[in-house]
Amino acid sequence: ITPVLCFGDSTGSIIIDSIIGGNIPYDLQWGGVNSTALSAGTYLVHIVDSIGCLHTEVYVIPQANEINPHEVLYHPICYGDTNGSIVIDVTGGTGSLSSYWLNGFGNTDSLYGLMDSVYTLIVLDSVACIDTFHFILQSPQLLDLDIISIDSVLTCGVPIIIEALISGGTYPYAINWTDGDTNQQRVVGTGGAGCYTVVITDANGCF
C-alpha cells in the first residue's frame, strides 16, 4: 500500500504481488477503480479463483493532513486605510513547512500595514506538497453624507426639517451638529438663518 503523498491527490496505490491459496488463475475485481491512482479512502478488492471461489480484502489508503493556514484577518478600519493585517499559524502537511508571501509587507507568519487587496500565501512541506491560499482584505465603504430637506417648499424665515442621510462606514453612527444636536433629523431656522455643520463618526471612529 502506498499512501497519498499530498492531501487531496490521487497518488495512492495498492499492489497485490502474491496470492496464496485457491486455484490459479485469479481474477482481481476492483470495481472499476484504478488501483495505481487512488485518493485517500477505503477500497474493496474481490479475488475470484478459477473455480469461482470468492475472497474479499479491504484496504485503507491514508493521506497526509491538509495544510491549513489558520488565518486571522484584520481588515483596514476605515476606507482607504493601510492598517490591515494578516496573521497565520500553518499546520498540516508532512514534516517542516515553509511559507512564502507573494505580496505585502511583514514576516513569514504575519503581514501588516495592508490596504484593500488580495494577498497570496504559498506553503511548501518537506515532501514538496504545495498549497496556495488567497486572503481578501476589504475596508468599509467610504462614509458619505447627504443633507436633504424634508419640506418640499422652502419659505424664507420659516423653520424647516432637514435630515442627514448617511451611507458607508460601519453602523452605528454618532451624529454631532455644531449646536449640540445629535439627531439625524432635526428642525433648523428657528432662530433665523444660519450655518449648520454636522460631523458623522462611525463605529470604528471613521469620519
Side-chain angles (χ1 to χ4, degrees):
I1 296 177
T2 302
V4 173
L5 187 63
C6 301
F7 181 88
D9 285 353
S10 298
T11 55
S13 64
I14 301 171
I15 298 175
I16 299 176
D17 55 10
S18 64
I19 300 174
I20 299 174
N23 299 278
I24 59 173
Y26 307 104
D27 179 24
L28 275 63
Q29 301 174 359
W30 291 94
V33 173
N34 182 354
S35 63
T36 61
L38 301 175
S39 56
T42 301
Y43 297 90
L44 302 179
V45 57
H46 301 298
I47 304 171
V48 183
D49 71 4
S50 60
I51 61 173
C53 296
L54 172 67
H55 177 74
T56 300
E57 284 288 336
V58 180
Y59 298 99
V60 177
I61 296 291
Q63 67 178 343
N65 291 327
E66 183 177 12
I67 295 175
N68 190 333
H70 298 288
E71 74 279 4
V72 179
L73 306 182
Y74 298 94
H75 299 278
I77 296 174
C78 301
Y79 178 85
D81 277 357
T82 56
N83 52 18
S85 60
I86 303 173
V87 178
I88 59 170
D89 180 17
V90 185
T91 61
T94 301
S96 59
L97 300 172
S98 300
S99 301
Y100 307 93
W101 293 97
L102 296 189
N103 56 333
F105 308 96
N107 306 310
T108 301
D109 60 355
S110 62
L111 296 180
Y112 47 84
L114 304 179
M115 64 178 68
D116 288 1
S117 190
V118 179
Y119 298 90
T120 302
L121 172 71
I122 296 178
V123 180
L124 184 71
D125 72 6
S126 62
V127 293
C129 297
I130 188 169
D131 259 333
T132 302
F133 303 93
H134 303 285
F135 308 117
I136 300 175
L137 291 188
Q138 181 67 58
S139 63
Q141 293 183 343
L142 178 65
L143 188 60
D144 192 33
L145 172 67
D146 285 317
I147 303 296
I148 65 169
S149 170
I150 302 300
D151 297 319
S152 58
V153 179
L154 301 181
T155 304
C156 183
V158 177
I160 62 172
I161 300 174
I162 61 173
E163 182 174 0
L165 295 182
I166 308 166
S167 61
T170 304
Y171 185 83
Y173 308 109
I175 302 170
N176 291 286
W177 297 86
T178 48
D179 60 359
D181 197 298
T182 59
N183 295 307
Q184 188 167 352
Q185 186 180 104
R186 60 165 302 180
V187 176
V188 297
T190 55
C195 179
Y196 296 85
T197 302
V198 61
V199 176
I200 308 298
T201 307
D202 73 3
N204 291 335
C206 309
F207 57 90

